[in-house]
Amino acid sequence: MITIFLSLFALIFNNSEASKTEKVMKFELIQLPYASDALEPVISKQTIEFHHGKHLQTYVNNLNNLIQGTKFENADLETIVKESDGAVFNNAGQVLNHNLYFTEFSPKGGGKPGGKLAKAIDKTWGSFENFQKEFETAGIGLFGSGWVWLAADKDGKLSITKESNAGNPITKGLKPILTFDVWEHAYYLDYQNRRADQLKALWKIVDWQVVEKRY
Ligand SMILES: [Fe+2]
């Protein structure tokens, strides 16, 4: 009898623990599609480990805690970014932005885009090189922390946007295509204050196949 009671208790206790864990873990830290040292020397293993393992993990944890019991509890990430403000927006934005950022690189990256994205870039900026220059200039000119984006409107028209802090062009009805993180945490260990050097180097690891699919 006691054994049955204990088994029943264990079952109930485990179930409630499981559902609690599920709730807290709604959003999870995105897995990197490469080893933490694979992007060296453009991004060091140490920067990846802090940026992905510490900074992004904190945003994920904060978001999971903040949305509990709110109307965003069961919403997807893009909906939360579009409809929230304050701390929820800041953490959701940072999760979405970093998910896009970390998955657009590859140790075999670099070169130029192809297909319709390449054509649209040429049409808008004249050449890929001009686009790169303007993208870097936007990133260098962004005051404080934020993100520089290549974004597309519903007709596929491209633009470069600068977003402060956790901003993402989806809040303006645009589709995010490519982003460089210009928060100091993204480059300080490797480049110290030389944001421009980091932006220039990132082209060497952009996985254009991933980026083209977003367009
Ligand atoms: Fe970051």
Side-chain angles (χ1 to χ4, degrees), residues 51 98 147 181 183 185:
H51 197 185
H98 284 96
W147 301 78
D181 185 346
W183 282 61
H185 69 219

Side-chain angles (χ1 to χ4, degrees), residues 8-54:
L8 201 64
F9 179 79
L11 195 69
I12 293 164
F13 180 75
N14 282 339
N15 276 348
S16 76
E17 276 303 293
S19 66
K20 209 162 86 187
T21 311
E22 210 173 284
K23 215 171 180 181
V24 171
M25 293 302 292
K26 176 177 164 58
F27 292 108
E28 290 186 2
L29 182 67
I30 197 165
Q31 285 203 333
L32 296 174
Y34 40 78
S36 57
D37 62 353
L39 303 181
E40 290 188 336
V42 177
I43 307 176
S44 69
K45 181 174 192 268
Q46 194 188 19
T47 290
I48 290 286
E49 284 174 353
F50 273 100
H51 197 185
H52 173 261
K54 306 283 184 197

Side-chain angles (χ1 to χ4, degrees), residues 19-147:
S19 66
K20 209 162 86 187
T21 311
E22 210 173 284
K23 215 171 180 181
V24 171
M25 293 302 292
K26 176 177 164 58
F27 292 108
E28 290 186 2
L29 182 67
I30 197 165
Q31 285 203 333
L32 296 174
Y34 40 78
S36 57
D37 62 353
L39 303 181
E40 290 188 336
V42 177
I43 307 176
S44 69
K45 181 174 192 268
Q46 194 188 19
T47 290
I48 290 286
E49 284 174 353
F50 273 100
H51 197 185
H52 173 261
K54 306 283 184 197
H55 289 281
L56 180 52
Q57 181 70 69
T58 301
Y59 295 128
V60 170
N61 294 348
N62 288 346
L63 179 61
N64 283 328
N65 290 329
L66 284 164
I67 59 174
Q68 274 185 69
T70 75
K71 64 174 178 174
F72 297 117
E73 199 168 35
N74 297 308
D76 63 74
L77 191 53
E78 291 199 1
T79 304
I80 300 175
V81 173
K82 282 183 205 163
E83 296 179 7
S84 66
D85 54 21
V88 173
F89 172 79
N90 286 336
N91 286 282
Q94 286 295 74
V95 174
L96 179 60
N97 299 352
H98 284 96
N99 287 355
L100 290 164
Y101 176 78
F102 282 118
T103 55
E104 73 190 13
F105 297 127
S106 162
K108 291 179 186 152
K112 294 178 176 192
K116 61 176 187 164
L117 179 61
K119 283 193 189 121
I121 286 174
D122 285 348
K123 194 178 156 197
T124 312
W125 290 282
S127 69
F128 177 63
E129 290 70 25
N130 278 346
F131 157 70
Q132 284 180 298
K133 234 179 270 172
E134 291 217 16
F135 197 82
E136 285 174 35
T137 303
I140 294 162
L142 199 159
F143 184 77
S145 299
W147 301 78

